[in-house]
């Protein structure tokens, strides 16, 4: 089968063709980098400007004077440590419960093959077709009836029912060779032992991806925490920024948004290798 490329090997072999190729390639990479990084730069430097300079038209690309007090004021005036800790607790609990229950359900549907397993999986996937907004009122009434308002469980328990992550785990488990699991059964390993000692170690890439999805979903959620946390002291950072932004200077608010985004950016930078590995994992080696 012949393959077609935009630049032929013969053209790349010539100095002029190679120079043109790398010029275009570098230009495209730089443009994409600027498109993604410039908003981040604009937000970070916006907090370093004075209130008058932020509102100035046309805006300045580089701050005329660097004001670090925007970040210190945001940390103190908006009580960011409390709200960041609330967010960490809510995200960590949702991640833990989701990983435990989604992994168990995916393993059961993939390897244990219960009765009506395909029907159950179809019903779970059907929930993906329901708009999230349509589920807000039933979820709120359920949480209110259980007395879980202003409680982290109001975030943790609904997060468990994540059909997408469950299906992602099941598809990965389906690729694990059954011969490997049968060999473990012959050696006397039970179902839980096989899950803990064989399936989970082989599933680190997809578990990393599911973990990122679970943490980011809670960290960036706004509507649901706003409904279940009326107590300002227990609100996560996303809700608190909106609730406390009424009488705050714009530079302080921008600084608070920069601080709130640091944990997720750091999480991606630390685990980007595992994220890419999980997304590209298309098979399992025996």
């Amino acid at each position: 089968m012949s393959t077609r490329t935009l630049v032929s090997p013969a053209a790349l072999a010539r100095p002029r063709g190679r120079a043109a190729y790398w010029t275009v390639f570098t230009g495209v990479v730089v443009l994409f980098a600027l498109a993604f990084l410039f908003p981040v730069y604009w937000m970070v430097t916006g907090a370093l400007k004075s209130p008058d300079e932020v509102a100035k038209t046309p805006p300045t690309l580089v701050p005329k004077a660097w004001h670090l007090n925007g970040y210190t004021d945001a940390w103190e005036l908006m009580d960011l440590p409390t709200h960041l800790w609330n967010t960490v607790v809510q995200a960590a609990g949702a991640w833990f419960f989701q990983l435990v229950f989604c992994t168990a359900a995916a393993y059961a549907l993939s390897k244990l093959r219960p009765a009506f397993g395909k029907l159950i999986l179809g019903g779970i996937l059907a929930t993906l077709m329901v708009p999230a907004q349509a589920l807000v009122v039933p979820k709120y009434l359920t949480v209110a009836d259980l007395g879980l308002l202003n409680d982290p469980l109001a975030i943790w328990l609904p997060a468990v029912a994540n059909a997408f992550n469950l299906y992602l785990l099941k598809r990965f488990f389906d690729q694990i060779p059954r011969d490997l699991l049968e060999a473990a059964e012959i050696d006397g390993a039970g179902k839980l032992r096989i899950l803990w000692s064989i399936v989970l170690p082989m599933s680190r890439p997809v578990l990393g991806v599911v973990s990122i999805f679970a943490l980011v979903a809670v960290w960036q959620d706004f509507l649901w925490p706003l409904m279940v946390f009326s107590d300002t002291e227990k609100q996560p950072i996303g809700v608190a920024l909106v609730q406390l932004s009424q009488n705050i200077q714009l530079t302080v608010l921008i600084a608070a948004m920069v601080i709130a985004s640091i944990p997720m950016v750091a999480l991606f930078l630390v685990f980007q290798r595992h994220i890419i590995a999980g997304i590209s994992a298309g098979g399992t080696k025996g």
Side-chain angles (χ1 to χ4, degrees), residues 136-151 153-154 157-158 224 227-228:
V136 169
V137 174
K139 284 198 304 182
Y140 179 82
L141 294 176
T142 302
V143 169
D145 289 341
L146 294 175
L148 298 179
L149 296 179
N150 292 311
D151 192 304
L153 285 171
L157 297 183
W224 182 243
M227 295 179 64
V228 299

Side-chain angles (χ1 to χ4, degrees), residues 227-249:
M227 295 179 64
V228 299
F229 287 106
S230 57
D231 187 351
T232 306
E233 293 297 322
K234 296 182 179 180
Q235 289 176 344
I237 188 69
V239 177
L241 288 179
V242 177
Q243 299 286 75
L244 302 175
S245 63
Q246 304 302 322
N247 300 315
I248 297 294
Q249 287 184 348

Side-chain angles (χ1 to χ4, degrees), residues 64-240:
K64 295 180 179 179
W66 301 81
H67 300 273
L68 295 176
N69 58 322
Y71 288 96
T72 56
D73 291 344
W75 188 261
E76 296 172 0
L77 295 178
M78 303 188 74
D79 196 16
L80 292 187
T82 299
H83 298 297
L84 282 171
W85 176 247
N86 293 340
T87 312
V88 169
V89 171
Q90 295 168 20
W95 163 78
F96 174 78
F97 281 104
Q98 190 173 142
L99 209 61
V100 170
F101 287 99
C102 285
T103 300
Y107 175 68
L109 292 172
S110 175
K111 299 303 180 184
L112 304 185
R113 299 188 176 180
F116 308 107
K118 293 184 178 180
L119 183 62
I120 294 173
L121 179 62
I124 293 174
L125 294 180
T127 61
L128 294 174
M129 309 300 173
V130 181
Q133 294 80 0
L135 301 175
V136 169
V137 174
K139 284 198 304 182
Y140 179 82
L141 294 176
T142 302
V143 169
D145 289 341
L146 294 175
L148 298 179
L149 296 179
N150 292 311
D151 192 304
L153 285 171
I155 302 293
W156 298 348
L157 297 183
V160 172
N162 192 305
F164 177 77
N165 285 345
L166 188 152
Y167 182 70
L168 194 64
L169 287 165
K170 180 188 178 300
R171 290 296 300 167
F172 191 92
F173 292 163
D174 288 342
Q175 298 172 9
I176 298 178
R178 179 162 292 276
D179 295 342
L180 186 63
L181 306 185
E182 292 176 351
E185 289 182 356
I186 294 174
D187 291 339
K191 302 298 183 182
L192 290 178
R193 179 70 176 180
I194 292 174
L195 173 64
W196 182 259
S197 300
I198 297 178
V199 175
L200 291 183
M202 297 179 68
S203 305
R204 287 176 183 173
V206 73
L207 290 176
V209 173
V210 169
S211 298
I212 295 297
F213 286 166
L215 291 172
V216 171
V218 175
W219 198 276
Q220 69 180 7
D221 195 9
F222 173 77
L223 178 60
W224 182 243
L226 177 65
M227 295 179 64
V228 299
F229 287 106
S230 57
D231 187 351
T232 306
E233 293 297 322
K234 296 182 179 180
Q235 289 176 344
I237 188 69
V239 177

Side-chain angles (χ1 to χ4, degrees), residues 30-54:
V30 170
L31 286 176
F32 271 95
L34 289 175
F36 284 99
L37 296 179
F38 183 76
V40 178
Y41 166 80
W42 193 257
M43 182 172 64
V44 173
T45 57
L48 298 173
K49 299 177 182 178
S50 64
D52 293 335
E53 188 178 359
V54 170

